[in-house]
Amino acid sequence: AQSVTQLGSHVSVSEGALVLLRCNYSSSVPPYLFWYVQYPNQGLQLLLKYTTGATLVKGINGFEAEFKKSETSFHLTKPSAHMSDAAEYFCAVSDDLYNQGGKLIFGQGTELSVKP
Amino acid sequence: DGGITQSPKYLFRKEGQNVTLSCEQNLNHDAMYWYRQDPGQGLRLIYYSQIVNDFQKGDIAEGYSVSREKKESFPLTVTSAQKNPTAFYLCASSINGLLSSGNTIYFGEGSWLTVV
């Protein structure tokens, strides 16, 4: 069965510092991997996704993530945090190879705080 | 504007009542989903539908029901059998149920349901 683990339910960084949000997955087949961001009382917005091809994926708002098969990881990074990055971030995995309806399995979420 | 509209944003339910959350999309997507979000637990799939007049149970379908009579609409009914319905509910859609490189799951803004 697929699963996603996000290390750290809360991460705090200073404005301008590196953002690193960790995500490890478990999947018996090559996964599709996603990062979503959620602002308070709102829906989820896709930041970036990995399906096939280049393992370093660039997304919106300066975020990027690298798929590392050997480490079963898909960590999210941003070189310099901005106050507007404060939100909750979700990592998700999908095993689409068995046509399971494109369902996503989500991690527990990581709340990012940015200090001035 | 194209998108996913959920209503109402806030809903209060008395014990023993059924309530229905609306989800409408004008993206011409075939697949639609309902997720439940509880604090610190990420998102869990309730039901999904890959095509009109067809839907499947997700991981936590007990106490919920859905219908898919029209492509653009996927209402969720929270029945009195759902023992702990207070949560944030998110509707989502995708072009189809296959998360290929050009496909993404898009989310609505969510609905808060509170039992009073």
Side-chain angles (χ1 to χ4, degrees):
Chain A
Q2 293 175 296
S3 66
V4 176
T5 301
Q6 292 184 237
L7 300 176
S9 59
H10 191 109
V11 170
S12 182
V13 301
S14 298
E15 192 172 19
L18 171 72
V19 175
L20 171 61
L21 304 182
R22 300 177 186 273
C23 173
N24 288 89
Y25 69 90
S26 171
S27 178
S28 58
V29 297
Y32 292 167
L33 295 159
F34 305 80
W35 275 101
Y36 282 86
V37 61
Q38 184 181 35
Y39 298 98
N41 293 324
Q42 294 186 22
L44 276 67
Q45 179 183 8
L46 181 69
L47 278 177
L48 48 80
K49 63 182 179 182
Y50 168 80
T51 53
T52 58
T55 57
L56 181 62
V57 181
K58 295 186 183 298
I60 62 172
N61 301 339
F63 284 94
E64 62 182 36
E66 186 171 11
F67 169 57
K68 293 187 176 181
K69 183 178 178 180
S70 61
E71 300 177 7
T72 62
S73 68
F74 191 56
H75 302 330
L76 181 71
T77 61
K78 181 174 180 178
S80 177
H82 191 273
M83 296 297 291
S84 62
D85 294 326
E88 188 149 22
Y89 292 80
F90 291 94
C91 182
V93 63
S94 175
D95 167 13
D96 205 39
L97 298 182
Y98 298 108
N99 193 21
Q100 294 183 29
K103 298 176 296 179
L104 293 178
I105 306 299
F106 284 87
Q108 309 94 305
T110 297
E111 184 178 354
L112 175 65
S113 300
V114 182
K115 300 175 290 187
Chain B
D1 285 347
I4 302 170
T5 302
Q6 291 187 237
S7 63
K9 179 69 175 180
Y10 300 95
L11 184 62
F12 297 90
R13 190 195 91 170
K14 294 182 179 180
E15 295 280 354
Q17 277 186 336
N18 293 353
V19 293
T20 298
L21 305 179
S22 170
C23 178
E24 303 278 333
Q25 54 96 1
N26 59 6
L27 301 169
N28 200 33
H29 286 175
D30 284 322
M32 297 187 74
Y33 313 82
W34 274 105
Y35 285 88
R36 169 178 172 146
Q37 185 177 17
D38 295 282
Q41 294 191 39
L43 281 73
R44 293 178 290 169
L45 184 66
I46 304 172
Y47 269 97
Y48 66 101
S49 168
Q50 292 180 269
I51 198 168
V52 174
N53 292 322
D54 185 51
F55 49 83
Q56 286 79 39
K57 294 181 179 180
D59 299 319
I60 56 166
E62 184 175 353
Y64 299 97
S65 66
V66 294
S67 63
R68 188 81 188 280
E69 298 176 0
K70 298 185 296 182
K71 185 176 184 177
E72 60 270 23
S73 179
F74 192 41
L76 173 74
T77 297
V78 184
T79 75
S80 56
Q82 170 50 237
K83 298 306 179 187
N84 185 23
T86 296
F88 191 50
Y89 291 87
L90 286 158
C91 179
S93 71
S94 61
I95 294 175
N96 53 46
L98 300 176
L99 293 179
S100 58
S101 60
N103 201 358
T104 297
I105 290 182
Y106 297 90
F107 285 82
E109 292 294 300
S111 294
W112 278 104
L113 173 62
T114 302
V115 174
V116 297

